[in-house]
């Protein structure tokens, strides 16, 4: 077991890394709180427990660039000091940025922070790996702070029209792909004191291309319930990012039920992508599910009986409850990183239809069991 701690654990990148590494059986996570940087004893205890520290904590934006520089360098200084006092020598994986080469104080804070860590590693016999990271996007990003993708998603979902200041080509990496890069470095057996790794972007898109796709998701998915073509990995990642910004009261969505003297007809699913459909019957009082996915798009459609669907974002406490009744057929889609279940709360058999965008593969199920 490798004991791993993540500074900035509660932030966009840190929380994704924490959740991603939590799916690995060879990793034991050491919890970190922001207050540790203001509590010498807590920070010393933290560094002493860790085999590896992912130093993610940083300030990205502020009106005063000098505040950004001072804050980021101050965090590195405190981390190094705690290691020196305790004589702890964890491997530190530093989150740097392609901004390192630019003439701004944020980039300078990353460059100087990396050099300070490398100096400590050389003197202490520890190891430092610096990951130089391109533009990162993914679910749950902070609008107007983490990424233009997060900003666009937030604006579109809330009925605003984003504007493009400069339609340049942007090199992008999805947060799950970045988490995999960090994991590879966590388990690397390299003995080099200092290593700098240029993390390769996985997509290169004009800002207008991204905006056009997001507007398409709004029109097709939010307005008409149609799942987009998700065969392209970038577009799947962008779709999952977009849907993470949709408020939970958007669900459940009622189907259109056509009734005549023969009975009723309901269209359950319309999608521009392939997938797997299945159904289940559930007896009263029984719960199915209690698992989450990191990439799959999934729909629960209740067509007969009464059900309660529950969702809870991993490592949070708030539970969202949706009650569905087959007399008014409706569906709820499962967001990534939300553990979910469905319970028969009626007195009759519950019939649920499930759709998911990829067939089940036991060798790569993307299914992690956690109680809601």
């Amino acid at each position: 077991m490798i004991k791993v701690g993540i500074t900035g654990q509660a932030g966009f990148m840190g929380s994704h890394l924490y959740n991603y590494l939590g799916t690995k059986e060879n990793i034991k996570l050491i919890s970190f709180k922001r207050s540790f940087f203001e509590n010498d004893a807590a920070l010393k205890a933290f560094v002493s427990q860790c085999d590896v520290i992912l130093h993610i904590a940083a300030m990205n934006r502020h009106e005063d660039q000098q505040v950004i520089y001072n804050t980021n360098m101050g965090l590195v200084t405190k981390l190094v000091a705690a290691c020196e006092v305790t004589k702890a020598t964890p491997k530190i994986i530093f989150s740097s940025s392609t901004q390192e080469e630019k003439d701004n104080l944020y980039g300078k804070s990353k460059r100087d922070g990396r050099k300070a860590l490398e100096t400590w590693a050389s003197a202490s016999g520890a190891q430092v790996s610096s990951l130089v990271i391109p533009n990162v996007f993914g679910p749950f990003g902070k609008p107007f702070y983490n990424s233009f993708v997060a900003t666009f998603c937030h604006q579109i979902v809330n009925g605003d029209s984003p504007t493009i200041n400069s339609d340049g080509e942007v090199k992008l990496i999805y947060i799950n792909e970045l988490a995999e890069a960090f994991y590879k470095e966590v388990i690397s057996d390299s003995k080099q004191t200092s290593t700098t790794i240029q993390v390769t972007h996985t997509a290169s898109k004009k800002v207008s291309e991204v905006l056009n796709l997001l507007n398409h998701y709004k029109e097709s998915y939010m307005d008409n319930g149609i799942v987009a073509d998700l065969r392209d990995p970038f577009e799947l990642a962008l779709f999952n990012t977009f849907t993470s910004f949709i408020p939970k009261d958007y669900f459940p969505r009622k189907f259109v039920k056509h009734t005549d003297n023969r009975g009723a007809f309901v269209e359950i699913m319309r999608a521009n992508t392939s997938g797997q459909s299945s159904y289940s019957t559930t007896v009263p009082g029984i719960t199915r599910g209690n698992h989450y996915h990191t990439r799959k798009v999934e729909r629960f459609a209740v067509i007969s009986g009464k059900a309660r669907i529950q969702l809870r974002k991993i490592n949070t406490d708030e539970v969202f409850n949706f009650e569905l009744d087959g007399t008014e057929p409706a569906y709820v889609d499962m967001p990534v990183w939300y553990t979910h279940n469905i319970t028969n709360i009626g007195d009759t058999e519950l019939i649920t239809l499930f759709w998911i965008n990829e067939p089940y593969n036991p060798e790569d199920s993307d299914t992690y069991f956690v109680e809601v």
Side-chain angles (χ1 to χ4, degrees):
M1 295 289 285
I2 305 172
K3 292 179 285 185
V4 180
I6 305 169
T7 70
Q9 177 184 312
F12 165 63
M13 191 185 300
S15 62
H16 273 282
L17 288 171
Y18 188 88
N19 291 338
Y20 180 86
L21 293 176
T23 68
K24 305 298 181 182
E25 294 182 354
N26 60 334
I27 301 293
K28 179 181 179 182
L29 291 165
I30 306 299
S31 185
F32 179 87
K33 295 181 180 179
R34 183 181 301 177
S35 60
F36 287 5
F37 277 120
E38 306 304 323
N39 183 325
D40 287 344
L43 188 58
K44 291 173 187 176
F46 171 74
V47 301
S48 298
Q49 294 177 73
C50 296
D51 300 316
V52 179
I53 294 174
L54 311 186
H55 182 46
I56 310 298
M59 178 180 285
N60 296 339
R61 298 180 189 274
H62 193 277
E63 292 179 359
D64 187 341
Q65 288 279 308
Q66 192 64 49
V67 171
I68 295 176
Y69 181 85
N70 293 345
T71 298
N72 292 345
M73 285 304 298
L75 297 178
V76 170
T77 299
K78 289 180 179 181
L79 186 63
V80 167
C83 289
E84 289 176 336
V85 169
T86 60
K87 301 190 184 304
T89 55
K91 178 179 182 179
I92 295 181
I93 303 177
F94 178 56
S95 169
S96 191
S97 166
T98 51
Q99 294 284 322
E100 264 202 28
E101 303 305 318
K102 295 190 176 182
D103 186 24
N104 60 63
L105 284 174
Y106 171 73
K108 189 172 187 295
S109 76
K110 289 296 186 180
R111 184 171 62 250
D112 291 353
R114 172 175 56 81
K115 290 178 179 178
L117 288 169
E118 289 173 350
T119 299
W120 163 76
S122 180
S124 66
Q127 289 181 275
V128 169
S129 294
S130 298
L131 270 58
V132 181
I133 301 169
N135 292 278
V136 186
F137 73 100
F140 322 123
K142 185 178 179 181
F144 309 102
Y145 188 80
N146 289 129
S147 161
F148 78 94
V149 177
T151 302
F152 283 0
C153 288
H154 169 78
Q155 291 177 311
I156 291 169
V157 163
N158 287 282
D160 297 330
S161 298
T163 56
I164 298 174
N165 296 323
S166 176
D167 193 18
E169 189 125 328
V170 184
K171 294 177 179 178
L172 296 160
I173 187 169
Y174 185 50
I175 188 64
N176 288 21
E177 297 165 328
L178 178 61
E180 177 66 19
F182 270 95
Y183 175 63
K184 287 179 178 177
E185 191 57 26
V186 167
I187 64 175
S188 170
D189 58 3
S190 171
K191 303 302 180 186
Q192 287 184 270
T193 300
S194 300
T195 308
T196 299
I197 300 167
Q198 300 286 334
V199 178
T200 306
H201 64 279
T202 53
S204 184
K205 302 287 181 182
K206 294 188 73 172
V207 175
S208 58
E209 289 182 87
V210 175
L211 180 56
N212 287 340
L213 281 168
L214 294 173
N215 280 323
H216 170 65
Y217 299 155
K218 167 65 168 62
E219 180 182 356
S220 64
Y221 179 73
M222 284 193 72
D223 296 345
N224 295 293
I226 302 171
V227 175
D229 186 341
L230 303 177
R231 290 172 293 180
D232 178 80
F234 171 77
E235 294 187 18
L236 172 61
L238 191 65
F239 181 79
N240 278 329
T241 301
F242 175 78
T243 58
S244 76
F245 285 85
I246 297 174
K248 294 298 172 287
D249 60 7
Y250 171 82
F251 292 106
R253 307 298 294 178
K254 290 185 178 180
F255 291 111
V256 177
K257 187 176 182 179
H258 303 276
T259 305
D260 59 23
N261 60 349
R262 299 168 299 173
F265 171 81
V266 175
E267 180 182 309
I268 297 295
M269 187 73 202
R270 187 171 291 197
N272 295 321
T273 192
S274 59
Q276 175 179 299
S277 296
S278 55
Y279 81 93
S280 73
T281 63
T282 307
V283 299
I286 295 299
T287 298
R288 293 179 177 273
N290 284 317
H291 61 242
Y292 67 93
H293 310 294
T294 69
R295 65 172 186 268
K296 289 180 176 179
V297 179
E298 186 175 28
R299 174 166 295 183
F300 285 13
V302 172
I303 57 177
S304 180
K306 294 182 178 181
R308 180 180 65 241
I309 294 172
Q310 294 184 303
L311 306 175
R312 179 178 62 81
K313 187 180 175 185
I314 295 302
N315 294 321
T316 65
D317 296 325
E318 186 176 9
V319 175
F320 297 92
N321 293 282
F322 307 95
E323 292 194 3
L324 286 72
D325 190 325
T327 59
E328 295 183 280
Y331 70 89
V332 176
D333 289 349
M334 306 300 122
V336 290
W337 296 107
Y338 275 78
T339 185
H340 48 269
N341 65 29
I342 183 167
T343 302
N344 184 344
I345 60 172
D347 299 323
T348 61
E349 182 179 67
L350 170 67
I351 301 177
T352 311
L353 188 141
F354 305 95
W355 177 89
I356 200 160
N357 71 303
E358 60 179 79
Y360 182 77
N361 176 4
E363 301 300 319
D364 183 19
S365 67
D366 187 41
T367 300
Y368 303 95
F369 289 90
V370 175
E371 292 282 330
V372 174

